[in-house]
Amino acid sequence: MFLFVSDKNSQLCNKSAILPCADKLTTTLINLYPNSQLKPLRSGQFALFSHDFEQGVTGASNNINIAANIEPLAEFGFRELDFANKNILLGILGGERFCSENYKSPKKCTILGEIASNLIDNFEQSPTSAFTDLPQQYVLFSWCEEKSAIKVLKDPFNPKPVYWTRLKTGFFVSTCIQAVALVRGEELVLSEAGLASWLSGYPNPAIPMFEHVGVLPIGYELNVGDDFTPVLNKVWDIDPNYKIRHQSQSGYTQDFLDTLTASVDASLLSEANTVVSQMSGGMDSTSITAIANQQLKAKHKTVLPLSHLYTQSEKCDEHVLVDDMLSHLNLSQSIKLVVDEGQDRNFFKLYPVALDSPGTVLSPRYLKELGLVRDAGADVMLSGNGGDEMCWGHSLTYTQRFKQGDWQVVNEVIKACPSLGVARRRAVMDLFIKPSIPEWLAKAVGLKQRSGQSFVAPVWLTDKAVALAQDTSLIDNPFDPKLDPVGYNRYLSIKTTSTYNAMRSYDKLSEQFDISVRHPFFDPHLAEFSFAIPPEQLIRGAYPKWLLRTSMQGRLPDSVCWNLQKTTFDQHFGNLVRENAAELRVMLNNQRLADMGLVNQSLLLKEFDNLVNNPSASLKVDLLYAILTFCWVHTHFS
């Protein structure tokens, strides 16, 4: 999808927009999205892409009038527009369509343009409800008559990036970074701030990877007026003053379950009779699968679990829990995909990085998985992404409760220590005693207190890179880090979580299969709910995700619901790096990032060699991100 606003003053709209590299742009986008049936409406002078929409779904004709480029706007359902000096051009890719039954509006909304048009009125009254009443994962380009500006926005947790750049001939907005690169007509310039953000291990998705290219942050809209100055307005956020309090545990349980079920139900929208649901042995994906199974049965449809099996890393293997789930849900059909054998042992082939960012990987494993989804006759795949961000809670909850006078939390932690393999004395010291010592006294006696903020720079960053990374890690956080460190850190997590990398990767690849990958936990209503309830609902005693566990009790087997062993994939990645150490070390010897003053090459290689030479060591996330960043630079800017 892209939009171009021309600065040529002309009444002849069909002759006023000449994009650089128009023919090359056409070819590139069609190659990128081979199944989207894109059609260039004007050769050479072309600036508009149109998806060949099905009759009856959008209400639009397949044959769009191209007498003037302004005409398709009306064809797509926008309000009557009168542009005397601007040419507005819209491009749409397949898979971004809406059904009227999912959008409650006085007008019948059957196509993207009509929804965008109606949405403008709702912004002024309630931006949050304007977002949350729409189906998940949308991108809207709409014209605001009152302010004579283009609005570009998406749902808060949509993984699809939205880029923009100023051109000599106008202003260009696109969900495709390759399109941005082409229309700029020059090599993209790497952003030192973006690189430092990734090299630090705390990448902020709101920080662009390129100079002169903006990227839309979560919860914001882009406004482009007559002067082509991009203005970002916040249209959705978490309100720290919004609180939910129930008289009993059952009240929280039912409220949470209703909210999550509504999100799952909205994610099940599909004309197919089968919906695939990723299902590991963890709480998040099993909860989504169990709820989807219940909802689909009522619609006489079927959920098909898809599980990843790790045969080369024992700590990552969850096949017993997967089988427990299949038995509990009485499901005889599932897809089990071994993901760490054969070609999947080659790091470079397994994680080819896209131009968008070092974390967007075009893995053949994902392609194989999406192919299996298509072969199963499904066009929707659900994931458990977002479960940690919405349900995990934070260990600072115990400290915060103690400071607020909840003395019972001490006994609660002491009882939980044996189950977690943590020494009682250390837990009491770290969670209750040290945080209660005044800061001035702690400094005087040389006592290190636990910080409420999580940024710790890896040793291989230069002072320049540390300063840049610290700046990029700062976000507009409505929670006070001293009064509410739990809310502060959880908010930071939902804005910068690494989970977005996997979501973007699947989103980018799924377009080739006409499959929608949906993430019910990443729902604005659920996010607002999780911040409004008392933090002890999210983590209690030995159990993170307390509320999710109590809500799913009986819906999941106990082996899954009350399992304390969270599966991580550090062992898998560590083994993979050791097996590909020689090739990776050659790549890490590249001097480009060192020449930019961002990396101390010798310290980075020392950390890498420590991992390679220790067969039992796990790969830490900051080193993984450094490797991916070097791989990204090597792939696209060598």
Side-chain angles (χ1 to χ4, degrees), residues 558-622:
D558 287 348
S559 60
V560 172
C561 194
W562 298 102
N563 180 23
L564 282 173
Q565 304 302 316
K566 179 176 175 60
T567 301
T568 61
F569 299 95
D570 300 350
Q571 183 191 45
H572 164 68
F573 286 116
N575 291 341
L576 203 59
V577 168
R578 278 185 283 271
E579 292 174 31
N580 295 266
E583 296 87 348
L584 287 171
R585 202 178 196 285
V586 170
M587 184 186 69
L588 292 176
N589 267 303
N590 187 294
Q591 293 291 314
R592 178 158 185 171
L593 296 178
D595 292 342
M596 294 174 71
L598 300 176
V599 172
N600 184 316
Q601 203 93 15
S602 61
L603 290 178
L604 175 61
L605 290 171
K606 182 180 178 181
E607 290 290 316
F608 177 79
D609 290 338
N610 288 340
L611 170 72
V612 172
N613 296 328
N614 185 353
S616 61
S618 297
L619 177 61
K620 295 180 180 178
V621 69
D622 52 6

Side-chain angles (χ1 to χ4, degrees), residues 14-290:
N14 61 322
K15 294 184 179 180
S16 64
I18 303 177
L19 276 171
C21 309
D23 291 331
K24 190 175 181 181
L25 176 64
T26 304
T27 304
T28 300
L29 289 182
I30 289 176
N31 289 336
L32 282 169
Y33 306 103
N35 296 324
S36 64
Q37 302 177 25
L38 287 168
K39 294 180 179 179
L41 298 189
R42 184 171 294 277
S43 177
Q45 200 177 14
F46 162 79
L48 174 66
F49 273 119
S50 168
H51 182 273
D52 190 7
F53 290 110
E54 297 175 9
Q55 288 281 5
V57 176
T58 65
S61 169
N62 286 338
N63 298 317
I64 296 176
N65 181 2
I66 60 171
N69 283 340
I70 200 67
E71 290 295 329
L73 286 172
E75 193 75 22
F76 282 126
F78 280 75
R79 297 173 182 177
E80 292 298 323
L81 308 178
D82 181 17
F83 295 105
N85 64 344
K86 295 290 184 295
N87 189 17
I88 311 301
L89 304 168
L90 180 68
I92 299 178
L93 291 181
E96 300 181 34
R97 57 178 69 158
F98 297 88
C99 296
S100 58
E101 62 266 25
N102 274 354
Y103 182 67
K104 299 178 177 63
S105 170
K107 299 180 181 179
K108 183 180 179 182
C109 296
T110 56
I111 62 173
L112 181 65
E114 291 178 4
I115 292 177
S117 183
N118 290 332
L119 197 63
I120 297 299
D121 297 329
N122 298 341
F123 282 147
E124 301 299 327
Q125 300 176 10
S126 176
T128 298
S129 63
F131 271 108
T132 54
D133 288 344
L134 285 169
Q136 292 186 347
Q137 295 189 23
Y138 60 84
V139 179
L140 298 178
F141 291 44
S142 55
W143 171 253
C144 181
E145 290 175 298
E146 182 181 348
K147 298 181 179 180
S148 297
I150 289 290
K151 286 179 179 284
V152 183
L153 58 147
K154 61 178 184 174
D155 54 297
F157 298 115
N158 190 338
K160 191 181 297 297
V162 174
Y163 305 103
W164 68 84
T165 189
R166 180 72 166 93
L167 303 174
K168 293 179 181 179
T169 55
F171 196 87
F172 188 79
V173 186
S174 180
T175 58
C176 179
I177 190 64
Q178 287 92 338
V180 174
L182 283 169
V183 300
R184 283 191 59 81
E186 58 189 20
E187 184 178 349
L188 292 173
V189 179
L190 293 173
S191 162
E192 292 186 346
L195 288 168
S197 179
W198 271 93
L199 290 167
S200 72
Y202 299 97
N204 184 347
I207 304 300
M209 294 303 297
F210 308 102
E211 299 291 344
H212 313 301
V213 177
V215 61
L216 189 64
I218 296 169
Y220 284 78
E221 69 173 5
L222 170 68
N223 285 267
V224 186
D226 288 342
D227 60 355
F228 297 109
T229 301
V231 177
L232 292 174
N233 293 327
K234 185 181 289 186
V235 292
W236 179 86
D237 205 355
I238 301 293
D239 181 2
N241 298 314
Y242 174 53
K243 304 295 181 185
I244 295 174
R245 297 294 182 266
H246 288 294
Q247 296 297 316
S248 65
Q249 180 62 46
S250 61
Y252 289 109
T253 299
Q254 191 59 52
D255 202 353
F256 171 80
L257 190 58
D258 288 345
T259 306
L260 180 57
T261 300
S263 181
V264 173
D265 199 43
S267 299
L268 295 175
L269 178 66
S270 170
E271 296 180 3
N273 290 321
T274 299
V275 171
V276 172
S277 182
Q278 289 182 332
M279 190 183 76
S280 68
M283 279 296 301
D284 306 331
S285 61
T286 53
S287 298
I288 297 301
T289 304

